[in-house]
Amino acid sequence: PYAALFFSKEHYNYLGYINNKIDDPVLISVLKWDKAKAGESVIAILRTKRGDAQLSIPVNKLLNNKYSVAKRISHYLKNVVDESLMPSNTQKIKFNLGELKDNEQLKKDIVDIESRDPLRPTCLNIGIVYVKKGQTDEQEYLENNSGSEEYEHFLSLMGKKITLQGWDKHRGDLDTTRGNTGTHSLYTVWKGFQIMFHVSTLLPFTEDDDQQVSRKRLIGNDVSVIIFQDGGTYVPPIVSKFLHVYAVVSPISISGNPHYRVAVTNKNNVPKYGPPICSPGIYSSKTIQEFLLTKVVNGHLSTIRAPDLSEKMFWRPKLQMLLDVIRKYE
């Protein structure tokens, strides 16, 4: 919203803290209201570690000359914004820096925050793990360096194999300069999302590491993972505090054509999300990517919107991004 609604228009940016707490930063952008008439409203975007909100502020709330504009905005916000974005005990919002107008670098920094916001992602990382028939534990399937023809065909349906060296789009925490996370990966753009897949068989294999920590670290820090299972009994791979959505894909052949049986499970604290799996849960090569990405991305978004999960998993990176910007201009 900021890039589209604010970047090229005159506006003000205010940076500060809620209740003067260093761990509760706030950044608000307000369109210039000088020519607005009484009774009209101006658009604003509020950003806190808990999330963002687009607001409509009545002009008359900004025209009271008794107080500074920053104090007027502060007073208005604490009375209208719910506790999902600001704590219920909010006494005041102190803007240490006010009316930062026409600061091109700050505008670029705000666009960067939006592009990396874990609570409103446009770039996602999704794990893909290959499991051979008969494998039942994490150590076995993390040691797989290649898969079946069915697995390779499935990967080609999910995205495009790309060379990491010099890659200039969403890199998904992969090394694009020194090759420390492998030479290739899988990437796609789907419905406005840039998706980088952390594919277990494409990540570096370490000979003397039974647990394959480098593979586990990347996939274990994803919210969603797709398990391609060539047979055997399903065991959720890589138990971690971040992984919450597991999609299990098993290849089958119908009339000589590749199809995929899909099952999806998640941790109990993830709110419900769609779409429902069709009966009998089998998808063709033409439909598997659309269904699977819709299901997995919705599972990701549902996970980050759950209050008990957001606070533990996603507030910290958002907090750090806001603090970095505020400190840069103090």
Side-chain angles (χ1 to χ4, degrees):
Y2 180 82
L5 298 176
F6 285 75
F7 193 88
S8 61
K9 299 177 182 178
E10 285 193 89
H11 64 280
Y12 303 96
N13 292 306
Y14 297 86
L15 300 84
Y17 301 95
I18 298 174
N19 291 335
N20 274 337
K21 292 185 176 179
I22 193 68
D23 65 345
D24 216 344
V26 59
L27 192 166
I28 185 169
S29 304
V30 185
L31 283 179
K32 189 176 180 181
W33 62 84
D34 302 31
K35 297 180 180 179
K37 300 177 182 178
E40 295 181 343
S41 298
V42 293
I43 297 175
I45 297 179
L46 171 72
R47 306 170 192 83
T48 74
K49 64 182 180 182
R50 303 166 186 83
D52 300 350
Q54 184 171 312
L55 308 172
S56 181
I57 302 180
V59 171
N60 65 304
K61 298 293 183 180
L62 302 172
L63 297 179
N64 185 344
N65 294 322
K66 184 177 180 181
Y67 303 106
S68 68
V69 174
K71 184 168 288 188
R72 291 173 234 161
I73 293 176
S74 171
H75 181 76
Y76 176 76
L77 290 178
K78 73 177 185 179
N79 286 294
V80 301
V81 177
D82 64 49
E83 60 187 76
S84 65
L85 292 177
M86 297 198 305
S88 57
N89 66 341
T90 297
Q91 299 298 316
K92 66 177 178 179
I93 306 169
K94 183 178 180 181
F95 292 108
N96 297 33
L97 300 166
E99 294 194 18
L100 287 179
K101 183 176 66 171
D102 299 327
N103 187 314
E104 293 300 319
Q105 186 56 52
L106 175 58
K107 289 159 66 174
K108 292 177 182 178
D109 289 338
I110 294 174
V111 170
D112 183 59
I113 286 177
E114 284 197 347
S115 69
R116 297 187 296 120
D117 188 350
L119 295 172
R120 192 178 55 196
T122 57
C123 299
L124 300 174
N125 305 330
I126 298 173
I128 296 182
V129 175
Y130 175 68
V131 180
K132 293 180 181 178
K133 185 175 182 178
Q135 293 183 331
T136 58
D137 65 56
E138 180 182 295
Q139 181 176 333
E140 289 179 315
Y141 35 71
L142 283 181
E143 290 183 345
N144 293 330
N145 291 319
S146 61
S148 62
E149 290 183 10
E150 291 84 357
Y151 169 68
E152 294 296 335
H153 179 64
F154 171 75
L155 292 183
S156 72
L157 298 175
M158 297 306 295
K160 178 183 178 181
K161 191 174 183 180
I162 56 102
T163 300
L164 287 173
Q165 183 71 34
W167 181 252
D168 61 357
K169 298 181 177 64
H170 171 54
R171 63 183 184 86
D173 299 320
L174 299 177
D175 184 359
T176 59
T177 57
R178 298 179 299 278
N180 290 332
T181 55
T183 59
H184 294 81
S185 191
L186 199 69
Y187 170 87
T188 194
V189 176
W190 177 82
K191 293 188 176 179
F193 291 97
Q194 291 189 67
I195 299 174
M196 181 65 80
F197 295 96
H198 291 151
V199 183
S200 61
T201 54
L202 293 178
L203 294 171
F205 175 78
T206 307
E207 289 285 352
D208 57 353
D209 183 3
D210 290 340
Q211 296 188 12
Q212 297 302 315
V213 172
S214 61
R215 290 178 170 179
K216 181 175 180 177
R217 175 181 60 82
L218 283 163
I219 299 172
N221 282 331
D222 295 334
V223 174
S224 307
V225 64
I226 298 168
I227 303 103
F228 188 91
Q229 190 165 3
D230 260 343
T233 303
Y234 164 62
V235 179
I238 310 178
V239 176
S240 79
K241 67 177 183 179
F242 282 100
L243 279 175
H244 279 70
V245 179
Y246 300 86
V248 184
V249 178
S250 303
I252 60 175
S253 179
I254 299 178
S255 301
N257 297 314
H259 286 69
Y260 305 91
R261 189 185 303 278
V262 178
V264 179
T265 186
N266 51 256
K267 292 183 178 178
N268 293 333
N269 51 355
V270 177
K272 291 183 179 180
Y273 56 93
I277 295 176
C278 71
S279 180
I282 296 174
Y283 298 85
S284 69
S285 293
K286 293 182 179 180
T287 59
I288 184 63
Q289 190 212 43
E290 179 66 18
F291 171 78
L292 200 54
L293 289 185
T294 302
K295 188 69 173 177
V296 169
V297 169
N298 284 348
H300 182 111
L301 298 177
S302 186
T303 299
I304 66 177
R305 288 168 183 160
D308 59 326
L309 299 177
S310 290
E311 183 168 358
K312 291 185 293 185
M313 298 169 59
F314 303 102
W315 283 14
R316 187 177 298 274
K318 181 65 176 292
L319 167 65
Q320 192 58 54
M321 285 191 289
L322 291 172
L323 286 177
D324 287 346
V325 169
I326 292 175
R327 289 166 178 166
K328 182 175 180 178
Y329 295 95
E330 281 182 331

